[in-house]
Amino acid sequence: MDTPRVRFAPSPTGYLHIGGARTALFNWLWARRNGGTFVLRIEDTDRERSTQAAVDAIFDGMRWLGLDWDEGPEVGGPHGPYFQTERLGIYAEQAEKLIREGKAYACYCTRETLDAQRKQAEAEKRQFRYPGTCRNLPYDPSRPHVIRFRVPETGSTTFVDLVKGPIETPHEVLQDEVILRGDGVPLYNFGAVVDDVTMRINLVARGDDHVNNTARQILMYEALGYPVPKFAHLPMILGADKARLSKRHGATSVTAYRDMGFLPEAVVNYLVRLGWSHGDQELFTREELVRYFDFKDVGATAGVFNPEKMAWVNHEWLKKLSDEELARRALPYFLAAGLPAADDAKLRHVCAVARERARTFGEYVQQFRYFYAPIQLDPKAKAKFLTADTKPILEAVRAGLAALETLETEAIEKLFHSEAEQRGLGLGKIAQPVRVALTGGTASPGMYDVVQILGKEETLRRLDDAIRLVG
Ligand code: GLU
């Protein structure tokens, strides 16, 4: 096998999509596994739809996922950067070469003529194909023209896709397509092929929405005298309803998952499993992925995107981190929510109690904001647990806690137990009103942890508030 030279070639017309990120990841893994080269090429020839913001969003998403590129924008050196709009001279040169060799030709048909032919085809209910009007006309660059690729009229092109197996395309379904517009901008198939040739790409892995372009591209590689790369067409990612993944199914941009508090390790882990498997294993470190990944283990059926499963994977990843690491990485999410957290013992304790209970940093913030902000009292919990009956319990616990010198677990435990015993009540009957007073609701980590995290002063203040509320 040649050392892989692979590429990810996004069009910068939006954010980095889950599907695009998976394509990038598979290419990156293959390059890293084999000591190959991963090229990032920005296919920005559609000037109307391409934006700098989208280019930045792609960089941002890839960096966050840790998918570093060896050649491409910002790498510099003799190879990068690769932006198609900066390479127009190369496409023009290659198109001229094809004309000289009779493999392409100038087409002088006006838009009006072609539109009329297209309408005619529509009226006759047949598919429009360019009729080859200019196929044999001499080349006159001084006349306005586009350049078309000459497709053989007979025969077929076959390739063996690494994922889909052999695919044959009869040439009669193809047409002499435009490869270079009058303004010198290449059409997608030609731009991609010229780039693959000049960047010496030997394996093309991309979404299977491009599978129908492949035969035409193979004819172009051949026309340019380049050994045809291998192809791996990756099945589209679907939503739960088996429709192609779209915004309807939830967030589809990679960085939206960053903003929700997913770890990049977990997103990579989840993405790779959308179409690739290694036995029954679900959780993979990056090193394992680099060791195991192979296109031969990519399935031909579409992966279904399941946000719940992704949250599960994230939870598993979060659970592996130490309290220190969790706190360090959770902090920006608390701060972004406007909560006065710091990378300190309190946040480490919050993370320690959150680790089994919450699956993303977004859930950390949502579930545990009361450690940093006033409680939001759940009216039902209030009605049930902050009552004249529970007031004496709140008062007794308040007094007991106030008398403690330090908030050691054993001391708090002893206090709650003795209150329960003295009143002949179960421990829950003591803990629940306190829980509502301290957290605003009926579900929270253990009371001892809550008291310790809030600290004595804040705990007493909240108990006082609750006692006052009962009246
Ligand atoms: N710019 C194309 C896309 O984003 C690239 C397809 C390819 O990888 O050849 O779909």
Side-chain angles (χ1 to χ4, degrees), residues 22-23 25-31 33-34 205 232 234 272 275-278 284 286-298:
R22 184 195 55 170
T23 300
L25 174 61
F26 283 11
N27 279 295
W28 182 89
L29 285 171
W30 190 237
R33 175 177 179 171
N34 297 290
L234 312 171
V272 80
W276 174 84
S277 59
H278 181 75
F284 297 88
R286 189 174 290 254
E287 292 67 35
E288 284 174 312
L289 291 178
V290 167
R291 193 154 3 110
Y292 300 148
F293 181 80
D294 197 322
F295 282 104
K296 77 175 168 41
D297 300 317
V298 173

PDB file of all heavy atoms in Angstrom, residues 22-23 25-31 33-34 205 232 234 272 275-278 284 286-298:
ATOM      1  N   ARG A  22     -17.320  13.674  10.587  1.00  0.00           N
ATOM      2  CA  ARG A  22     -17.020  12.245  10.526  1.00  0.00           C
ATOM      3  C   ARG A  22     -16.123  11.940   9.320  1.00  0.00           C
ATOM      4  O   ARG A  22     -15.174  11.150   9.410  1.00  0.00           O
ATOM      5  CB  ARG A  22     -18.303  11.419  10.451  1.00  0.00           C
ATOM      6  CG  ARG A  22     -17.989   9.938  10.479  1.00  0.00           C
ATOM      7  CD  ARG A  22     -19.158   9.086  10.050  1.00  0.00           C
ATOM      8  NE  ARG A  22     -19.661   9.472   8.744  1.00  0.00           N
ATOM      9  CZ  ARG A  22     -20.556   8.764   8.056  1.00  0.00           C
ATOM     10  NH1 ARG A  22     -21.051   7.665   8.570  1.00  0.00           N
ATOM     11  NH2 ARG A  22     -20.957   9.175   6.886  1.00  0.00           N
ATOM     12  N   THR A  23     -16.413  12.570   8.183  1.00  0.00           N
ATOM     13  CA  THR A  23     -15.567  12.375   7.005  1.00  0.00           C
ATOM     14  C   THR A  23     -14.134  12.800   7.316  1.00  0.00           C
ATOM     15  O   THR A  23     -13.171  12.085   7.003  1.00  0.00           O
ATOM     16  CB  THR A  23     -16.103  13.217   5.828  1.00  0.00           C
ATOM     17  OG1 THR A  23     -17.434  12.800   5.545  1.00  0.00           O
ATOM     18  CG2 THR A  23     -15.243  13.049   4.593  1.00  0.00           C
ATOM     19  N   LEU A  25     -12.722  12.993  10.204  1.00  0.00           N
ATOM     20  CA  LEU A  25     -12.158  12.088  11.206  1.00  0.00           C
ATOM     21  C   LEU A  25     -11.656  10.788  10.564  1.00  0.00           C
ATOM     22  O   LEU A  25     -10.546  10.332  10.863  1.00  0.00           O
ATOM     23  CB  LEU A  25     -13.231  11.777  12.260  1.00  0.00           C
ATOM     24  CG  LEU A  25     -12.884  10.736  13.314  1.00  0.00           C
ATOM     25  CD1 LEU A  25     -11.682  11.172  14.150  1.00  0.00           C
ATOM     26  CD2 LEU A  25     -14.088  10.474  14.229  1.00  0.00           C
ATOM     27  N   PHE A  26     -12.489  10.189   9.705  1.00  0.00           N
ATOM     28  CA  PHE A  26     -12.060   8.932   9.079  1.00  0.00           C
ATOM     29  C   PHE A  26     -10.777   9.151   8.274  1.00  0.00           C
ATOM     30  O   PHE A  26      -9.851   8.348   8.336  1.00  0.00           O
ATOM     31  CB  PHE A  26     -13.155   8.374   8.158  1.00  0.00           C
ATOM     32  CG  PHE A  26     -14.296   7.697   8.894  1.00  0.00           C
ATOM     33  CD1 PHE A  26     -14.422   7.801  10.272  1.00  0.00           C
ATOM     34  CD2 PHE A  26     -15.242   6.957   8.197  1.00  0.00           C
ATOM     35  CE1 PHE A  26     -15.470   7.184  10.949  1.00  0.00           C
ATOM     36  CE2 PHE A  26     -16.298   6.324   8.870  1.00  0.00           C
ATOM     37  CZ  PHE A  26     -16.408   6.441  10.236  1.00  0.00           C
ATOM     38  N   ASN A  27     -10.718  10.240   7.534  1.00  0.00           N
ATOM     39  CA  ASN A  27      -9.508  10.522   6.754  1.00  0.00           C
ATOM     40  C   ASN A  27      -8.307  10.747   7.671  1.00  0.00           C
ATOM     41  O   ASN A  27      -7.215  10.227   7.425  1.00  0.00           O
ATOM     42  CB  ASN A  27      -9.726  11.765   5.881  1.00  0.00           C
ATOM     43  CG  ASN A  27     -10.479  11.443   4.602  1.00  0.00           C
ATOM     44  OD1 ASN A  27      -9.971  10.712   3.738  1.00  0.00           O
ATOM     45  ND2 ASN A  27     -11.675  11.952   4.461  1.00  0.00           N
ATOM     46  N   TRP A  28      -8.540  11.511   8.719  1.00  0.00           N
ATOM     47  CA  TRP A  28      -7.453  11.822   9.666  1.00  0.00           C
ATOM     48  C   TRP A  28      -6.916  10.541  10.298  1.00  0.00           C
ATOM     49  O   TRP A  28      -5.700  10.321  10.390  1.00  0.00           O
ATOM     50  CB  TRP A  28      -7.992  12.781  10.734  1.00  0.00           C
ATOM     51  CG  TRP A  28      -6.983  13.233  11.740  1.00  0.00           C
ATOM     52  CD1 TRP A  28      -6.167  14.318  11.644  1.00  0.00           C
ATOM     53  CD2 TRP A  28      -6.698  12.612  13.011  1.00  0.00           C
ATOM     54  NE1 TRP A  28      -5.383  14.418  12.771  1.00  0.00           N
ATOM     55  CE2 TRP A  28      -5.683  13.386  13.632  1.00  0.00           C
ATOM     56  CE3 TRP A  28      -7.185  11.498  13.681  1.00  0.00           C
ATOM     57  CZ2 TRP A  28      -5.161  13.073  14.892  1.00  0.00           C
ATOM     58  CZ3 TRP A  28      -6.658  11.182  14.930  1.00  0.00           C
ATOM     59  CH2 TRP A  28      -5.662  11.966  15.513  1.00  0.00           C
ATOM     60  N   LEU A  29      -7.846   9.677  10.725  1.00  0.00           N
ATOM     61  CA  LEU A  29      -7.429   8.433  11.385  1.00  0.00           C
ATOM     62  C   LEU A  29      -6.595   7.569  10.444  1.00  0.00           C
ATOM     63  O   LEU A  29      -5.588   6.983  10.835  1.00  0.00           O
ATOM     64  CB  LEU A  29      -8.656   7.637  11.856  1.00  0.00           C
ATOM     65  CG  LEU A  29      -9.363   8.187  13.091  1.00  0.00           C
ATOM     66  CD1 LEU A  29     -10.683   7.448  13.309  1.00  0.00           C
ATOM     67  CD2 LEU A  29      -8.474   8.071  14.330  1.00  0.00           C
ATOM     68  N   TRP A  30      -7.037   7.522   9.200  1.00  0.00           N
ATOM     69  CA  TRP A  30      -6.328   6.674   8.237  1.00  0.00           C
ATOM     70  C   TRP A  30      -4.918   7.213   7.983  1.00  0.00           C
ATOM     71  O   TRP A  30      -3.952   6.448   7.915  1.00  0.00           O
ATOM     72  CB  TRP A  30      -7.146   6.593   6.944  1.00  0.00           C
ATOM     73  CG  TRP A  30      -6.649   5.575   5.976  1.00  0.00           C
ATOM     74  CD1 TRP A  30      -6.261   5.807   4.686  1.00  0.00           C
ATOM     75  CD2 TRP A  30      -6.515   4.161   6.184  1.00  0.00           C
ATOM     76  NE1 TRP A  30      -5.882   4.632   4.086  1.00  0.00           N
ATOM     77  CE2 TRP A  30      -6.025   3.604   4.985  1.00  0.00           C
ATOM     78  CE3 TRP A  30      -6.743   3.320   7.280  1.00  0.00           C
ATOM     79  CZ2 TRP A  30      -5.774   2.242   4.845  1.00  0.00           C
ATOM     80  CZ3 TRP A  30      -6.484   1.953   7.130  1.00  0.00           C
ATOM     81  CH2 TRP A  30      -6.000   1.433   5.931  1.00  0.00           C
ATOM     82  N   ALA A  31      -4.828   8.527   7.882  1.00  0.00           N
ATOM     83  CA  ALA A  31      -3.505   9.132   7.692  1.00  0.00           C
ATOM     84  C   ALA A  31      -2.626   8.865   8.911  1.00  0.00           C
ATOM     85  O   ALA A  31      -1.471   8.447   8.794  1.00  0.00           O
ATOM     86  CB  ALA A  31      -3.629  10.637   7.456  1.00  0.00           C
ATOM     87  N   ARG A  33      -2.906   6.562  11.215  1.00  0.00           N
ATOM     88  CA  ARG A  33      -2.598   5.149  11.412  1.00  0.00           C
ATOM     89  C   ARG A  33      -1.409   4.710  10.556  1.00  0.00           C
ATOM     90  O   ARG A  33      -0.605   3.873  10.959  1.00  0.00           O
ATOM     91  CB  ARG A  33      -3.814   4.302  11.043  1.00  0.00           C
ATOM     92  CG  ARG A  33      -3.465   2.839  11.127  1.00  0.00           C
ATOM     93  CD  ARG A  33      -4.588   1.902  10.857  1.00  0.00           C
ATOM     94  NE  ARG A  33      -4.047   0.552  10.964  1.00  0.00           N
ATOM     95  CZ  ARG A  33      -4.751  -0.537  10.960  1.00  0.00           C
ATOM     96  NH1 ARG A  33      -6.050  -0.470  10.878  1.00  0.00           N
ATOM     97  NH2 ARG A  33      -4.177  -1.709  11.048  1.00  0.00           N
ATOM     98  N   ASN A  34      -1.358   5.276   9.354  1.00  0.00           N
ATOM     99  CA  ASN A  34      -0.369   4.790   8.398  1.00  0.00           C
ATOM    100  C   ASN A  34       0.803   5.736   8.171  1.00  0.00           C
ATOM    101  O   ASN A  34       1.522   5.600   7.184  1.00  0.00           O
ATOM    102  CB  ASN A  34      -1.063   4.507   7.064  1.00  0.00           C
ATOM    103  CG  ASN A  34      -2.095   3.405   7.210  1.00  0.00           C
ATOM    104  OD1 ASN A  34      -1.747   2.248   7.404  1.00  0.00           O
ATOM    105  ND2 ASN A  34      -3.368   3.777   7.163  1.00  0.00           N
ATOM    106  N   ALA A 205     -11.955   9.625   0.532  1.00  0.00           N
ATOM    107  CA  ALA A 205     -13.058   9.178   1.394  1.00  0.00           C
ATOM    108  C   ALA A 205     -13.963  10.372   1.617  1.00  0.00           C
ATOM    109  O   ALA A 205     -13.510  11.425   2.063  1.00  0.00           O
ATOM    110  CB  ALA A 205     -12.517   8.654   2.720  1.00  0.00           C
ATOM    111  N   ALA A 232     -13.647   5.585  -0.944  1.00  0.00           N
ATOM    112  CA  ALA A 232     -14.485   5.050   0.141  1.00  0.00           C
ATOM    113  C   ALA A 232     -15.631   6.033   0.297  1.00  0.00           C
ATOM    114  O   ALA A 232     -15.418   7.171   0.734  1.00  0.00           O
ATOM    115  CB  ALA A 232     -13.681   4.948   1.432  1.00  0.00           C
ATOM    116  N   LEU A 234     -18.832   7.115   2.169  1.00  0.00           N
ATOM    117  CA  LEU A 234     -19.384   6.862   3.501  1.00  0.00           C
ATOM    118  C   LEU A 234     -20.887   7.096   3.493  1.00  0.00           C
ATOM    119  O   LEU A 234     -21.340   8.150   3.038  1.00  0.00           O
ATOM    120  CB  LEU A 234     -18.728   7.811   4.507  1.00  0.00           C
ATOM    121  CG  LEU A 234     -17.199   7.875   4.408  1.00  0.00           C
ATOM    122  CD1 LEU A 234     -16.658   9.004   5.275  1.00  0.00           C
ATOM    123  CD2 LEU A 234     -16.589   6.535   4.825  1.00  0.00           C
ATOM    124  N   VAL A 272     -17.041   8.293  15.336  1.00  0.00           N
ATOM    125  CA  VAL A 272     -16.367   7.192  14.647  1.00  0.00           C
ATOM    126  C   VAL A 272     -17.277   5.959  14.586  1.00  0.00           C
ATOM    127  O   VAL A 272     -17.228   5.178  13.643  1.00  0.00           O
ATOM    128  CB  VAL A 272     -15.017   6.872  15.333  1.00  0.00           C
ATOM    129  CG1 VAL A 272     -15.206   6.020  16.568  1.00  0.00           C
ATOM    130  CG2 VAL A 272     -14.060   6.196  14.363  1.00  0.00           C
ATOM    131  N   GLY A 275     -20.955   4.304  11.725  1.00  0.00           N
ATOM    132  CA  GLY A 275     -20.551   3.691  10.463  1.00  0.00           C
ATOM    133  C   GLY A 275     -19.336   2.796  10.574  1.00  0.00           C
ATOM    134  O   GLY A 275     -19.073   2.004   9.683  1.00  0.00           O
ATOM    135  N   TRP A 276     -18.583   2.912  11.650  1.00  0.00           N
ATOM    136  CA  TRP A 276     -17.399   2.058  11.796  1.00  0.00           C
ATOM    137  C   TRP A 276     -17.540   1.257  13.077  1.00  0.00           C
ATOM    138  O   TRP A 276     -18.107   1.743  14.059  1.00  0.00           O
ATOM    139  CB  TRP A 276     -16.145   2.933  11.875  1.00  0.00           C
ATOM    140  CG  TRP A 276     -14.879   2.164  12.166  1.00  0.00           C
ATOM    141  CD1 TRP A 276     -14.086   1.505  11.269  1.00  0.00           C
ATOM    142  CD2 TRP A 276     -14.267   1.977  13.456  1.00  0.00           C
ATOM    143  NE1 TRP A 276     -13.029   0.932  11.919  1.00  0.00           N
ATOM    144  CE2 TRP A 276     -13.108   1.203  13.257  1.00  0.00           C
ATOM    145  CE3 TRP A 276     -14.588   2.381  14.756  1.00  0.00           C
ATOM    146  CZ2 TRP A 276     -12.269   0.825  14.307  1.00  0.00           C
ATOM    147  CZ3 TRP A 276     -13.750   2.009  15.803  1.00  0.00           C
ATOM    148  CH2 TRP A 276     -12.601   1.245  15.565  1.00  0.00           C
ATOM    149  N   SER A 277     -17.063   0.027  13.065  1.00  0.00           N
ATOM    150  CA  SER A 277     -17.105  -0.730  14.308  1.00  0.00           C
ATOM    151  C   SER A 277     -15.858  -1.579  14.458  1.00  0.00           C
ATOM    152  O   SER A 277     -15.141  -1.870  13.491  1.00  0.00           O
ATOM    153  CB  SER A 277     -18.354  -1.613  14.365  1.00  0.00           C
ATOM    154  OG  SER A 277     -18.337  -2.489  13.263  1.00  0.00           O
ATOM    155  N   HIS A 278     -15.623  -1.964  15.705  1.00  0.00           N
ATOM    156  CA  HIS A 278     -14.490  -2.823  16.042  1.00  0.00           C
ATOM    157  C   HIS A 278     -15.021  -3.785  17.088  1.00  0.00           C
ATOM    158  O   HIS A 278     -15.037  -3.470  18.281  1.00  0.00           O
ATOM    159  CB  HIS A 278     -13.350  -1.957  16.587  1.00  0.00           C
ATOM    160  CG  HIS A 278     -12.123  -2.746  16.933  1.00  0.00           C
ATOM    161  ND1 HIS A 278     -11.262  -3.237  15.980  1.00  0.00           N
ATOM    162  CD2 HIS A 278     -11.612  -3.119  18.128  1.00  0.00           C
ATOM    163  CE1 HIS A 278     -10.281  -3.887  16.574  1.00  0.00           C
ATOM    164  NE2 HIS A 278     -10.465  -3.839  17.877  1.00  0.00           N
ATOM    165  N   PHE A 284     -13.564   4.229  22.878  1.00  0.00           N
ATOM    166  CA  PHE A 284     -12.228   4.146  22.311  1.00  0.00           C
ATOM    167  C   PHE A 284     -11.442   5.400  22.656  1.00  0.00           C
ATOM    168  O   PHE A 284     -11.960   6.512  22.521  1.00  0.00           O
ATOM    169  CB  PHE A 284     -12.296   4.091  20.779  1.00  0.00           C
ATOM    170  CG  PHE A 284     -12.992   2.876  20.233  1.00  0.00           C
ATOM    171  CD1 PHE A 284     -14.358   2.880  20.035  1.00  0.00           C
ATOM    172  CD2 PHE A 284     -12.262   1.740  19.899  1.00  0.00           C
ATOM    173  CE1 PHE A 284     -14.996   1.761  19.518  1.00  0.00           C
ATOM    174  CE2 PHE A 284     -12.896   0.625  19.378  1.00  0.00           C
ATOM    175  CZ  PHE A 284     -14.267   0.629  19.191  1.00  0.00           C
ATOM    176  N   ARG A 286      -8.347   7.910  21.611  1.00  0.00           N
ATOM    177  CA  ARG A 286      -7.831   8.329  20.305  1.00  0.00           C
ATOM    178  C   ARG A 286      -6.719   7.375  19.844  1.00  0.00           C
ATOM    179  O   ARG A 286      -6.646   7.008  18.674  1.00  0.00           O
ATOM    180  CB  ARG A 286      -7.301   9.763  20.431  1.00  0.00           C
ATOM    181  CG  ARG A 286      -6.936  10.408  19.131  1.00  0.00           C
ATOM    182  CD  ARG A 286      -6.576  11.853  19.369  1.00  0.00           C
ATOM    183  NE  ARG A 286      -7.755  12.610  19.730  1.00  0.00           N
ATOM    184  CZ  ARG A 286      -8.367  13.470  18.910  1.00  0.00           C
ATOM    185  NH1 ARG A 286      -7.895  13.693  17.708  1.00  0.00           N
ATOM    186  NH2 ARG A 286      -9.437  14.111  19.296  1.00  0.00           N
ATOM    187  N   GLU A 287      -5.878   6.953  20.785  1.00  0.00           N
ATOM    188  CA  GLU A 287      -4.783   6.036  20.430  1.00  0.00           C
ATOM    189  C   GLU A 287      -5.334   4.721  19.894  1.00  0.00           C
ATOM    190  O   GLU A 287      -4.829   4.172  18.926  1.00  0.00           O
ATOM    191  CB  GLU A 287      -3.887   5.750  21.648  1.00  0.00           C
ATOM    192  CG  GLU A 287      -3.070   6.934  22.136  1.00  0.00           C
ATOM    193  CD  GLU A 287      -3.924   8.065  22.719  1.00  0.00           C
ATOM    194  OE1 GLU A 287      -4.978   7.774  23.354  1.00  0.00           O
ATOM    195  OE2 GLU A 287      -3.573   9.246  22.518  1.00  0.00           O
ATOM    196  N   GLU A 288      -6.398   4.235  20.541  1.00  0.00           N
ATOM    197  CA  GLU A 288      -6.992   2.979  20.057  1.00  0.00           C
ATOM    198  C   GLU A 288      -7.569   3.168  18.660  1.00  0.00           C
ATOM    199  O   GLU A 288      -7.430   2.301  17.801  1.00  0.00           O
ATOM    200  CB  GLU A 288      -8.109   2.518  21.006  1.00  0.00           C
ATOM    201  CG  GLU A 288      -7.595   1.912  22.294  1.00  0.00           C
ATOM    202  CD  GLU A 288      -8.737   1.617  23.268  1.00  0.00           C
ATOM    203  OE1 GLU A 288      -9.597   2.491  23.487  1.00  0.00           O
ATOM    204  OE2 GLU A 288      -8.751   0.503  23.798  1.00  0.00           O
ATOM    205  N   LEU A 289      -8.211   4.307  18.454  1.00  0.00           N
ATOM    206  CA  LEU A 289      -8.793   4.544  17.129  1.00  0.00           C
ATOM    207  C   LEU A 289      -7.709   4.582  16.066  1.00  0.00           C
ATOM    208  O   LEU A 289      -7.859   4.001  14.991  1.00  0.00           O
ATOM    209  CB  LEU A 289      -9.584   5.860  17.120  1.00  0.00           C
ATOM    210  CG  LEU A 289     -10.859   5.852  17.949  1.00  0.00           C
ATOM    211  CD1 LEU A 289     -11.527   7.210  17.913  1.00  0.00           C
ATOM    212  CD2 LEU A 289     -11.818   4.782  17.448  1.00  0.00           C
ATOM    213  N   VAL A 290      -6.625   5.252  16.380  1.00  0.00           N
ATOM    214  CA  VAL A 290      -5.535   5.334  15.409  1.00  0.00           C
ATOM    215  C   VAL A 290      -4.982   3.926  15.140  1.00  0.00           C
ATOM    216  O   VAL A 290      -4.603   3.584  14.035  1.00  0.00           O
ATOM    217  CB  VAL A 290      -4.432   6.299  15.904  1.00  0.00           C
ATOM    218  CG1 VAL A 290      -3.167   6.161  15.073  1.00  0.00           C
ATOM    219  CG2 VAL A 290      -4.935   7.740  15.898  1.00  0.00           C
ATOM    220  N   ARG A 291      -4.990   3.092  16.169  1.00  0.00           N
ATOM    221  CA  ARG A 291      -4.466   1.733  16.008  1.00  0.00           C
ATOM    222  C   ARG A 291      -5.430   0.851  15.203  1.00  0.00           C
ATOM    223  O   ARG A 291      -5.026   0.040  14.394  1.00  0.00           O
ATOM    224  CB  ARG A 291      -4.210   1.127  17.394  1.00  0.00           C
ATOM    225  CG  ARG A 291      -3.396  -0.127  17.371  1.00  0.00           C
ATOM    226  CD  ARG A 291      -2.617  -0.398  18.677  1.00  0.00           C
ATOM    227  NE  ARG A 291      -2.798   0.516  19.767  1.00  0.00           N
ATOM    228  CZ  ARG A 291      -3.442   0.205  20.907  1.00  0.00           C
ATOM    229  NH1 ARG A 291      -3.981  -0.980  21.078  1.00  0.00           N
ATOM    230  NH2 ARG A 291      -3.519   1.097  21.874  1.00  0.00           N
ATOM    231  N   TYR A 292      -6.742   1.015  15.417  1.00  0.00           N
ATOM    232  CA  TYR A 292      -7.707   0.068  14.843  1.00  0.00           C
ATOM    233  C   TYR A 292      -8.364   0.526  13.549  1.00  0.00           C
ATOM    234  O   TYR A 292      -8.892  -0.287  12.804  1.00  0.00           O
ATOM    235  CB  TYR A 292      -8.856  -0.192  15.828  1.00  0.00           C
ATOM    236  CG  TYR A 292      -8.465  -0.763  17.163  1.00  0.00           C
ATOM    237  CD1 TYR A 292      -9.199  -0.449  18.300  1.00  0.00           C
ATOM    238  CD2 TYR A 292      -7.387  -1.641  17.285  1.00  0.00           C
ATOM    239  CE1 TYR A 292      -8.868  -0.974  19.544  1.00  0.00           C
ATOM    240  CE2 TYR A 292      -7.050  -2.162  18.528  1.00  0.00           C
ATOM    241  CZ  TYR A 292      -7.789  -1.823  19.651  1.00  0.00           C
ATOM    242  OH  TYR A 292      -7.465  -2.330  20.873  1.00  0.00           O
ATOM    243  N   PHE A 293      -8.443   1.831  13.299  1.00  0.00           N
ATOM    244  CA  PHE A 293      -9.328   2.280  12.229  1.00  0.00           C
ATOM    245  C   PHE A 293      -8.927   1.726  10.864  1.00  0.00           C
ATOM    246  O   PHE A 293      -7.760   1.746  10.470  1.00  0.00           O
ATOM    247  CB  PHE A 293      -9.373   3.808  12.143  1.00  0.00           C
ATOM    248  CG  PHE A 293     -10.306   4.254  11.056  1.00  0.00           C
ATOM    249  CD1 PHE A 293     -11.673   4.279  11.276  1.00  0.00           C
ATOM    250  CD2 PHE A 293      -9.823   4.552   9.784  1.00  0.00           C
ATOM    251  CE1 PHE A 293     -12.552   4.618  10.256  1.00  0.00           C
ATOM    252  CE2 PHE A 293     -10.695   4.895   8.766  1.00  0.00           C
ATOM    253  CZ  PHE A 293     -12.061   4.925   9.009  1.00  0.00           C
ATOM    254  N   ASP A 294      -9.923   1.226  10.156  1.00  0.00           N
ATOM    255  CA  ASP A 294      -9.685   0.739   8.801  1.00  0.00           C
ATOM    256  C   ASP A 294     -10.970   0.926   7.998  1.00  0.00           C
ATOM    257  O   ASP A 294     -12.058   0.642   8.502  1.00  0.00           O
ATOM    258  CB  ASP A 294      -9.316  -0.746   8.840  1.00  0.00           C
ATOM    259  CG  ASP A 294      -8.663  -1.198   7.539  1.00  0.00           C
ATOM    260  OD1 ASP A 294      -9.083  -0.726   6.460  1.00  0.00           O
ATOM    261  OD2 ASP A 294      -7.745  -2.031   7.601  1.00  0.00           O
ATOM    262  N   PHE A 295     -10.819   1.394   6.757  1.00  0.00           N
ATOM    263  CA  PHE A 295     -12.015   1.576   5.932  1.00  0.00           C
ATOM    264  C   PHE A 295     -12.741   0.260   5.690  1.00  0.00           C
ATOM    265  O   PHE A 295     -13.928   0.239   5.421  1.00  0.00           O
ATOM    266  CB  PHE A 295     -11.660   2.255   4.606  1.00  0.00           C
ATOM    267  CG  PHE A 295     -11.459   3.735   4.771  1.00  0.00           C
ATOM    268  CD1 PHE A 295     -10.181   4.280   4.773  1.00  0.00           C
ATOM    269  CD2 PHE A 295     -12.539   4.581   4.955  1.00  0.00           C
ATOM    270  CE1 PHE A 295      -9.995   5.648   4.962  1.00  0.00           C
ATOM    271  CE2 PHE A 295     -12.373   5.943   5.140  1.00  0.00           C
ATOM    272  CZ  PHE A 295     -11.092   6.475   5.141  1.00  0.00           C
ATOM    273  N   LYS A 296     -12.002  -0.859   5.807  1.00  0.00           N
ATOM    274  CA  LYS A 296     -12.696  -2.134   5.555  1.00  0.00           C
ATOM    275  C   LYS A 296     -13.723  -2.437   6.649  1.00  0.00           C
ATOM    276  O   LYS A 296     -14.598  -3.269   6.452  1.00  0.00           O
ATOM    277  CB  LYS A 296     -11.699  -3.271   5.340  1.00  0.00           C
ATOM    278  CG  LYS A 296     -11.036  -3.830   6.567  1.00  0.00           C
ATOM    279  CD  LYS A 296     -10.176  -5.032   6.157  1.00  0.00           C
ATOM    280  CE  LYS A 296      -9.231  -5.493   7.255  1.00  0.00           C
ATOM    281  NZ  LYS A 296      -9.735  -5.530   8.611  1.00  0.00           N
ATOM    282  N   ASP A 297     -13.638  -1.766   7.763  1.00  0.00           N
ATOM    283  CA  ASP A 297     -14.632  -1.981   8.826  1.00  0.00           C
ATOM    284  C   ASP A 297     -15.736  -0.923   8.836  1.00  0.00           C
ATOM    285  O   ASP A 297     -16.485  -0.818   9.798  1.00  0.00           O
ATOM    286  CB  ASP A 297     -13.928  -2.001  10.191  1.00  0.00           C
ATOM    287  CG  ASP A 297     -12.886  -3.105  10.267  1.00  0.00           C
ATOM    288  OD1 ASP A 297     -13.189  -4.216   9.795  1.00  0.00           O
ATOM    289  OD2 ASP A 297     -11.766  -2.855  10.758  1.00  0.00           O
ATOM    290  N   VAL A 298     -15.796  -0.145   7.766  1.00  0.00           N
ATOM    291  CA  VAL A 298     -16.893   0.827   7.662  1.00  0.00           C
ATOM    292  C   VAL A 298     -18.067   0.113   6.998  1.00  0.00           C
ATOM    293  O   VAL A 298     -17.914  -0.504   5.947  1.00  0.00           O
ATOM    294  CB  VAL A 298     -16.463   2.066   6.834  1.00  0.00           C
ATOM    295  CG1 VAL A 298     -17.650   2.989   6.596  1.00  0.00           C
ATOM    296  CG2 VAL A 298     -15.335   2.811   7.541  1.00  0.00           C
TER     297      VAL A 298
END
